[in-house]
């Protein structure tokens, strides 16, 4: 607890207005609660909430009017947006089909919802930050936007790595570099965070396969990822933009 407290003192996000899309998901919930603890004003934005609080906003990142309306409402309520985290994870019901079984329509829809949804949020949120003259935006990517998958870790299970995920996250990495260059003169920073595998009660065989490969011999936790996002939202990362921060226990170095 003492170490965590000192970390928050060194890398402060107190009073920053931070929006987390997908704020009701596995990583999103952890981001929202962790960022609120040291005093940030955190907006959880998601397509569904079972119980809405005053800081929760319903958003559909695939809908232009929904994104614009939510950002207008957030600015009206809080006067600014200091940080925006594109963390939503929209996907079709057949997500996870093996490559040869992916219908073209499904491929198109997943790319449209995920990559184009992030594009839309970037476009609207960054224009708001442009009027402010400051801001930090983070796109959640993946090691699979950087590397090809090791399919041996899925052997013996029904799991696979969705092909569209590689295309989406790889495209997102370079879109982030483009945006960092485009908006840099407005003192807006745009970065990606690329997690490795996050433990979420996957089959034991898969977890063992994964742990045997990664140098730190364990899957990541939501806390591992939240710390990286926290840092990029803080002013202590003020000279970092266009960067892809890889948080993968060493997976990508071997």
């Amino acid at each position: 607890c003492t170490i965590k407290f000192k970390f928050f003192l060194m890398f402060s996000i107190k009073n920053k207005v931070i929006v987390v899309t997908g704020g009701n998901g596995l990583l999103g919930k952890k981001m929202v609660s962790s960022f609120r603890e040291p005093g940030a004003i955190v907006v959880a934005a998601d397509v569904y909430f079972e119980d809405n609080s005053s800081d929760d906003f319903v958003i559909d990142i695939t809908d232009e009017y929904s994104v614009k309306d939510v950002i207008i409402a957030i600015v009206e309520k809080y006067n600014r947006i200091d940080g925006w985290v594109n963390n939503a994870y929209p996907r079709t019901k057949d997500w996870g089909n093996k490559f040869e079984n992916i219908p073209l329509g499904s491929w198109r829809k997943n790319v449209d919802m995920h990559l184009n949804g992030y594009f839309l949020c970037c476009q609207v949120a960054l224009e708001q930050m442009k009027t402010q003259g400051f801001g930090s935006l983070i796109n959640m990517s993946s090691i699979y936007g950087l590397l090809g998958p090791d399919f041996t870790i899925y052997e013996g299970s029904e799991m696979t790595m969705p092909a569209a995920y590689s295309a989406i996250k790889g495209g997102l990495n370079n879109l982030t570099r483009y945006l960092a260059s485009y908006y840099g003169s407005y003192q807006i920073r745009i970065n990606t965070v690329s997690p490795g595998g996050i433990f979420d009660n996957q089959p034991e065989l898969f977890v063992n396969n994964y742990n045997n490969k990664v140098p730190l011999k364990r899957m990541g936790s939501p806390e591992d990822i939240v710390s990286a996002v926290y840092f990029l939202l803080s002013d202590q990362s003020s000279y970092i933009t266009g960067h892809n921060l890889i948080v993968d226990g060493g997976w990508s170095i071997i």
Side-chain angles (χ1 to χ4, degrees), residues 16-17 80-84 125-126 128-138 183-184 186-191 232-235 237-238 240-241:
K16 287 185 180 292
V17 178
R80 67 190 191 280
I81 297 174
D82 296 287
W84 183 283
L126 290 172
Q128 168 59 34
M129 292 178 180
K130 180 179 173 180
T131 66
Q132 303 168 175
F134 62 87
S136 174
L137 184 143
I138 299 165
Y183 283 97
Y186 300 100
Q187 302 307 302
I188 302 169
R189 301 183 298 107
I190 302 103
N191 295 285
L232 290 174
L233 289 169
S234 73
D235 291 336
S237 62
S238 63
I240 300 174
T241 194

Side-chain angles (χ1 to χ4, degrees), residues 238-250:
S238 63
Y239 203 52
I240 300 174
T241 194
H243 182 65
N244 182 16
L245 180 52
I246 300 168
V247 189
D248 66 352

Side-chain angles (χ1 to χ4, degrees), residues 23-69:
N24 198 32
L26 176 68
L27 290 179
K29 283 182 178 179
K30 181 56 67 174
M31 288 182 199
V32 170
S33 62
S34 297
F35 300 162
R36 283 176 179 166
E37 185 176 341
I41 301 164
V42 187
V43 175
D46 212 322
V47 73
Y48 172 77
F49 292 95
E50 190 169 337
D51 297 303
N52 281 56
S53 77
S54 60
D55 291 323
D56 296 338
F57 283 75
V58 175
I59 190 173
D60 178 356
I61 70 165
T62 70
D63 185 295
E64 181 177 2
Y65 297 103
S66 176
V67 172
K68 288 181 176 179
D69 288 348

